[in-house]
Amino acid sequence: MGRGAGPWAGLPPARLVLVLSILAALLAAVAAASAAPAAPKGTWESIVLLYHSDVGGKVEPCG
Amino acid sequence: MLLVDAGGLFGPRNKLERDQTRFVCEVTGGFGYDAIGLGQADLNYGIGFLREMIEKNRLPFTNANVRDKATGQLLLPPWLVVQKGNVKFGIVSVLDPAEPFITMTAQDEAYQVDDPVATLRTVIPELRKQAQTIVLLSHLDLPRTESLLKEVAGVDIAVVGHTHQALPGERVVGKTVMLAAGFEGRTIGRLNGEFDRDGVMQAFTLKLVELDEKIADDAVTQEKVTQFKQKLEEARQSLRGRHQQVKGSASEQFLTQYECRKCHADIYAKLEGSRHNAALATLARKGMAQEPDCLACHTTGYEFKGGYDDKPPANRLANVQCEACHGYGSLHRRDGRWKAEARSTCVTCHDQKNSPKFDFATYWAKIRH
């Protein structure tokens, strides 16, 4: 069965898997941007949730 | 910022992958995860290895429904409470009891998995007493998570693992926001939440961020990766022999495409410029032409007796040649037999991991012969 129209459609190619150095840079940037002090009680507070899964232990794929 | 992983951080079951997993854990340990759910793969190297990684790298694994079968004790803390700003997040994780554990330590360890619905119905009320927002790390894939959420109340956010599907937009089941960022770290999901004074999320936006060249590398991490790859290369060299030439028959021979060409010049001419015929160069460009797991699909017969080797004469089997799909040429030369149903061979390499866009009709059109 082909996968072109399946659940994998639209995912980026396996150019790199868990690009550790890029993830590190991204996390540092988001953390810096989110480092504002907690909002005063009574006002809404912005919190960023970053999530992923199934990293699979690979440093790089075959290409 | 709240940073979570919904499980499946570890690699497949072999020693080389375990080395890579060890490195990934060392690096990601420095990222400051707030919680990591347990997936079946995270026990691939046994509970001892998992605990070693947790301890050495401060990895906050959590799971509420996997027990040591011998003692009946949970393997991990059943939940974590994390405060961000004024909001206390209760984070709980479950995995799918229908999925088996196949570990490198299977003879020494056995696990039992409790029903996730019953588990969460017990855990969530307790967790509610300590936290304002409940985050479920669900290693049950999307359909099973959706079913679970219809039976379990009280989950505010569900991050789904054990799925190859990323959810680019909003999906809400009951009062729960479901999130998924695909697999292998190709993307990371970002939810920007607005929480009221009671710690309840009142609004949010979602974005899937591709980890690509648009984001600059972190130099320190990049240096660690470079150094690790050098060590990995040495390990690959020592392991190559174990992967190589273990299948097939010593009495048969791969003849190479140059023999095939003598009778099938028209087909050879058609395939000569194909990506199949440049498959090894693809690996070489990435410096991975010695990677055993990759060579099986980027050469002809690497795992078979008489197959590719980087030394002459077997290096003439570089790339994906005729016999990669049709089988030993010696069989064909002797009695005309060849693998007529070569189509079934495609998916052994064009699998979801390495060829997620594979579609037989589209790809076959490129090499039709």
Side-chain angles (χ1 to χ4, degrees), chain B residues 29-206:
Chain B
F31 290 169
Y33 280 88
D34 292 295
I36 303 175
L38 185 72
Q40 270 82 358
D42 300 316
L43 284 166
N44 274 350
Y45 315 119
I47 184 63
F49 181 86
L50 174 62
R51 287 186 174 138
E52 180 191 340
M53 293 301 101
I54 290 171
E55 190 175 327
K56 278 187 177 173
N57 305 300
R58 301 182 304 281
L59 296 175
F61 271 92
T62 181
N63 173 274
N65 73 329
V66 181
R67 298 174 185 277
D68 182 318
K69 202 166 189 174
T71 66
Q73 297 295 308
L74 287 170
L75 298 183
L76 296 166
W79 65 69
L80 300 170
V81 176
V82 177
Q83 181 154 359
K84 298 290 175 181
N86 295 317
V87 182
K88 284 183 179 172
F89 293 89
I91 305 173
V92 59
S93 171
V94 291
L95 56 66
D96 188 350
E99 293 285 334
F101 287 99
I102 305 169
T103 74
M104 285 170 66
T105 55
Q107 71 278 17
D108 301 322
E109 298 167 8
Y111 312 107
Q112 71 177 57
V113 183
D114 298 340
D115 174 57
V117 171
T119 298
L120 291 174
R121 282 177 175 166
T122 304
V123 164
I124 288 174
E126 288 300 312
L127 196 47
R128 268 287 169 209
K129 297 173 187 170
Q130 304 174 36
Q132 297 152 305
T133 291
I134 305 297
V135 178
L136 169 64
L137 306 179
S138 174
H139 204 76
L140 283 94
D141 79 24
L142 282 165
R144 288 187 182 88
T145 300
E146 194 158 351
S147 298
L148 177 141
L149 291 173
K150 289 173 182 170
E151 298 185 63
V152 175
V155 177
D156 299 299
I157 298 169
V159 181
V160 183
H162 201 46
T163 177
H164 292 88
Q165 191 173 357
L167 290 176
E170 181 179 326
R171 184 181 294 186
V172 177
V173 179
K175 295 181 178 178
T176 308
V177 181
M178 276 178 65
L179 308 171
F183 64 117
E184 292 180 343
R186 295 165 196 239
T187 55
I188 188 163
R190 175 175 179 156
L191 176 146
N192 296 306
E194 298 292 332
F195 293 80
D196 66 18
R197 62 184 178 183
D198 296 320
V200 177
M201 190 167 69
Q202 295 291 353
F204 64 91
T205 58
L206 288 178

Side-chain angles (χ1 to χ4, degrees), chain B residues 149-313:
Chain B
L149 291 173
K150 289 173 182 170
E151 298 185 63
V152 175
V155 177
D156 299 299
I157 298 169
V159 181
V160 183
H162 201 46
T163 177
H164 292 88
Q165 191 173 357
L167 290 176
E170 181 179 326
R171 184 181 294 186
V172 177
V173 179
K175 295 181 178 178
T176 308
V177 181
M178 276 178 65
L179 308 171
F183 64 117
E184 292 180 343
R186 295 165 196 239
T187 55
I188 188 163
R190 175 175 179 156
L191 176 146
N192 296 306
E194 298 292 332
F195 293 80
D196 66 18
R197 62 184 178 183
D198 296 320
V200 177
M201 190 167 69
Q202 295 291 353
F204 64 91
T205 58
L206 288 178
K207 185 180 182 186
L208 288 176
V209 183
E210 289 184 22
L211 300 181
D212 60 17
E213 63 279 355
K214 294 191 201 78
I215 303 168
D217 289 292
D218 174 75
V220 173
T221 308
Q222 183 58 52
E223 177 60 25
K224 288 180 185 172
V225 171
T226 301
Q227 289 180 9
F228 172 73
K229 284 174 71 175
Q230 288 172 357
K231 290 182 188 172
L232 191 63
E233 183 55 33
E234 293 168 13
R236 279 185 184 129
Q237 289 295 347
S238 68
L239 285 172
R240 276 195 70 191
R242 299 183 202 176
H243 284 258
Q244 199 173 8
Q245 303 193 354
V246 294
K247 300 178 183 175
S249 167
S251 61
E252 299 297 343
Q253 287 179 287
F254 290 106
L255 303 181
T256 79
Q257 61 187 351
Y258 311 107
E259 281 297 305
C260 303
R261 180 174 56 183
K262 291 177 181 174
C263 296
H264 304 287
D266 54 333
I267 297 174
Y268 178 86
K270 176 142 192 166
L271 299 180
E272 192 177 13
S274 70
R275 291 186 66 182
H276 274 173
N277 206 34
L280 192 57
T282 305
L283 280 188
R285 276 198 300 274
K286 292 181 64 65
M288 303 181 78
Q290 301 295 321
E291 166 59 70
D293 289 345
C294 301
L295 285 169
C297 285
H298 288 253
T299 69
T300 298
Y302 178 73
E303 293 181 312
F304 289 79
K305 292 183 171 66
Y308 172 81
D309 189 80
D310 60 0
K311 300 175 188 64

